[in-house]
Amino acid sequence: MRFYPGEECGVFAVHGHPDAATLTTYGLYALQHRGEESAGIATSDGKHPFRIHRGMGLVSQVFDSASLASLPGQIAVGHVRYSTTGSSNLANAQPIAVVCSQGELALAHNGDIVNASALRARLEGRGSIFQTTTDSEVILHLMAQCVSKPVEEAFIWALGQTEGAYSLVLMTKDKILAARDPQGFRPLSLGKLDDGYIVSSETCAFDLLHVQFLRDLAPGEVVSIDAEGIHTLRAPKPIATAAFCIFEFVYFARPDSTIHGVNVSQARIQMGRELARLHPIEADLVIPVPDSGNYAALGFAEESSIPFDFAFVRNHYIGRTFLQPTQLIRNFNVRIKLNLVQESVRGKRVVVVDDSIVRGTTARARVANLREAGAAEVHIRISCPPHRFACHYGIDFPDPSSLLANQLTADRILSYLNADSLGYLDLDGLLRACGSPESGMGFCSACFTGRYPVAFNRGLHKEILEGSQSARLAAK
């Protein structure tokens, strides 16, 4: 049972560089925060069949010098995965590679295709045989139906059949295709290194590799990268249709990334400032819940002129696999992941700034830790509105019935946490902090409001593909 929003995925691609696999590995290191379950790279030298290496675990666990030596070529696509649609196993690790009427293809995808189950049923009815239970594979099967079309046209046609969220890269024998869905739910950026081109989920990977940032792909845009450079195949959609995931700014994106001209760390600092203006409090100390609460806490402290300090110390060596479904172990995990410097808070009125409250278990445990350490008062401030709705575009929030804001009123949440006060940032303040309308971006805030930019079948859930597969196997 998950107590935090699950990460999504990260995609990375290189065209026209002799060290494509090595660059992709480092790019995936920079994107590791977007997925910790599996990692993979596929390469092409333009002459031989694709080389592919995938594995379960972190990038550092999947790749070493021997595996990189087995990945020659000047073109590469890479992926780090956290399962949102499709279970966590090696068969579902990406890139997904196929040989079809379009030749060899390798796909890496970030997002969720909300009509994937309907598309898959239609394709299977026509004889398609799927290798995985992910929504991403549907795109490849759609392309394979376009026997007489060039690969670029097949790619655009296939994407036109899908609904939902996709930022993805597709490798052919000699080129990279990259695309964002018409709403632009997930980030995707273009860069240049020497004579080669780079595509990445976030710009933080460019900084690591000294890649020159060119621009973000616009919502709805499709580009091709070949030996001649970057070519736009499908024009961007009008900005009025854009619905970029605002939770990327709140939590997912790395603070050193820049999205549509807005630096993530600066946006989070502004969230903290907005929060301090909306919910002022007299206190002695502002402390963040690391790491995602760091910058919002800094902004809160600056705006309120309250001293800032790090009282929680994060253990960076405890991964998600350590979590166990018992209350005793969950409480232990809260302490082992974030230990408290008791001397920093004893006798003080403390403001704790975090990015979100999902189920509330960990927030409640942190308040208990602060009380035990002798904090005189504990005030909770959250740098986004309450989460009440599921995400269907690539973030694995718990079932809405498990979200604390759906179970309790604000007063009862405060009582449950045993805090002295509780304040959430409102949506207007969050939008201002993220640059709207100055940045020209439109945002998806469905997890707060329930207003979904793309319709979906509420009877389907993210396990539908596994469920249909299990039913077929049971019938045999």
Side-chain angles (χ1 to χ4, degrees):
M1 187 175 292
R2 187 165 292 108
F3 281 78
Y4 297 96
E7 281 84 346
E8 311 152 300
C9 296
V11 303
F12 194 87
V14 176
H15 186 283
H17 198 286
D19 297 317
T22 299
L23 291 176
T24 302
T25 303
Y26 285 118
L28 296 181
Y29 270 112
L31 300 175
Q32 185 74 86
H33 61 289
R34 298 187 70 85
E36 301 177 8
E37 292 187 356
S38 66
I41 295 174
T43 62
S44 172
D45 62 6
K47 301 175 183 178
H48 301 94
F50 290 173
R51 274 79 163 192
I52 305 168
H53 184 78
R54 300 175 301 181
M56 301 302 294
L58 304 176
V59 176
S60 60
Q61 297 168 322
V62 174
F63 295 100
D64 55 21
S65 57
S67 58
L68 288 176
S70 71
L71 296 170
Q74 300 80 41
I75 309 174
V77 293
H79 190 264
V80 287
R81 183 171 190 261
Y82 173 83
S83 56
T84 53
T85 299
S87 58
S88 178
N89 56 51
L90 185 57
N92 285 335
Q94 297 188 22
I96 303 171
V98 298
V99 180
C100 66
S101 60
Q102 296 293 336
E104 279 194 284
L105 304 174
L107 177 76
H109 169 216
N110 173 207
D112 263 2
I113 307 300
V114 298
N115 64 334
S117 59
L119 290 172
R120 177 166 176 155
R122 189 179 83 195
L123 288 162
E124 288 181 326
R126 296 176 180 174
S128 292
I129 300 173
F130 281 75
Q131 304 175 42
T132 75
T133 57
T134 69
D135 58 337
S136 311
E137 191 182 354
V138 168
I139 296 170
L140 295 172
H141 284 269
L142 288 168
M143 290 183 67
Q145 304 291 308
C146 303
V147 177
S148 61
K149 293 179 182 290
V151 66
E152 295 89 348
E153 292 183 23
F155 186 54
I156 292 173
W157 180 85
L159 295 179
Q161 308 307 301
T162 66
E163 299 169 3
Y166 57 80
S167 282
L168 53 83
V169 288
L170 177 79
M171 183 176 72
T172 72
K173 182 178 180 179
D174 57 1
K175 64 187 65 175
I176 293 289
L177 304 179
R180 286 180 77 188
D181 63 75
Q183 284 69 40
F185 284 108
R186 303 288 153 215
L188 198 63
S189 300
L190 296 171
K192 194 173 192 304
L193 180 64
D194 301 328
D195 295 326
Y197 292 92
I198 313 292
V199 186
S200 176
S201 286
E202 292 187 40
T203 62
C204 59
F206 291 170
D207 298 335
L208 174 66
L209 298 169
H210 299 289
V211 172
Q212 175 191 356
F213 171 76
L214 296 178
R215 63 182 179 86
D216 295 307
L217 262 75
E221 186 176 11
V222 179
V223 302
S224 171
I225 305 173
D226 58 23
E228 304 301 320
I230 300 174
H231 317 279
T232 296
L233 303 178
R234 187 177 73 185
K237 293 292 183 180
I239 196 66
T241 69
F244 182 77
C245 172
I246 202 164
F247 208 62
E248 291 274 359
F249 278 107
V250 174
Y251 176 80
F252 283 116
R254 256 178 51 163
D256 49 339
S257 287
T258 297
I259 302 171
H260 291 281
V262 179
N263 176 261
V264 175
S265 66
Q266 293 303 306
R268 290 176 183 169
I269 289 172
Q270 286 302 118
M271 291 174 204
R273 289 184 176 279
E274 293 279 353
L275 188 56
R277 289 191 285 265
L278 184 63
H279 296 289
I281 192 70
E282 291 186 5
D284 304 307
L285 187 66
V286 175
I287 62 173
V289 175
D291 289 322
S292 55
N294 290 349
Y295 290 94
L298 182 60
F300 191 101
E302 290 175 348
E303 183 67 23
S304 57
S305 299
I306 300 173
F308 171 94
D309 197 6
F310 289 98
F312 285 110
V313 178
R314 181 183 172 192
N315 186 331
H316 289 265
Y317 301 97
I318 302 298
R320 188 175 290 106
T321 55
F322 194 72
L323 293 174
Q324 299 293 329
T326 67
Q327 193 62 45
L328 175 64
I329 299 301
R330 287 181 198 134
N331 292 338
F332 174 70
N333 284 342
V334 172
R335 293 175 180 268
I336 199 169
K337 284 191 171 186
L338 290 177
N339 193 33
L340 185 63
V341 181
Q342 299 184 22
E343 291 77 11
S344 297
V345 301
R346 187 174 295 123
K348 294 181 180 179
R349 299 169 296 174
V350 177
V351 181
V352 181
V353 180
D354 201 355
D355 62 88
S356 58
I357 297 177
V358 181
R359 298 181 192 267
T361 299
T362 53
R364 184 183 189 185
R366 290 188 194 111
V367 173
N369 290 352
L370 288 162
R371 299 285 193 200
E372 292 170 6
E377 297 175 9
V378 180
H379 304 275
I380 305 296
R381 296 294 180 267
I382 305 300
S383 60
C384 70
H387 281 90
R388 293 194 172 94
F389 302 92
C391 175
H392 295 271
Y393 310 124
I395 296 178
D396 188 23
F397 284 115
D399 183 271
S401 64
S402 300
L403 298 174
L404 189 66
N406 281 338
Q407 297 175 329
L408 304 174
T409 64
D411 288 343
R412 291 186 65 191
I413 292 174
L414 179 62
S415 177
Y416 172 79
L417 297 177
N418 192 29
D420 292 283
S421 71
L422 170 66
Y424 291 90
L425 183 59
D426 62 8
L427 183 57
D428 288 342
L430 180 57
L431 291 170
R432 285 193 298 270
C434 295
S436 179
E438 290 82 1
S439 67
M441 273 195 292
F443 290 99
C444 175
S445 56
C447 56
F448 308 130
T449 65
R451 296 192 292 269
Y452 292 96
V454 175
F456 59 92
N457 187 333
R458 294 178 183 272
L460 302 181
H461 51 83
K462 78 180 188 69
E463 288 83 13
I464 190 68
L465 298 179
E466 285 89 341
S468 60
Q469 175 73 2
S470 298
R472 284 192 296 272
L473 292 175
K476 291 182 178 180

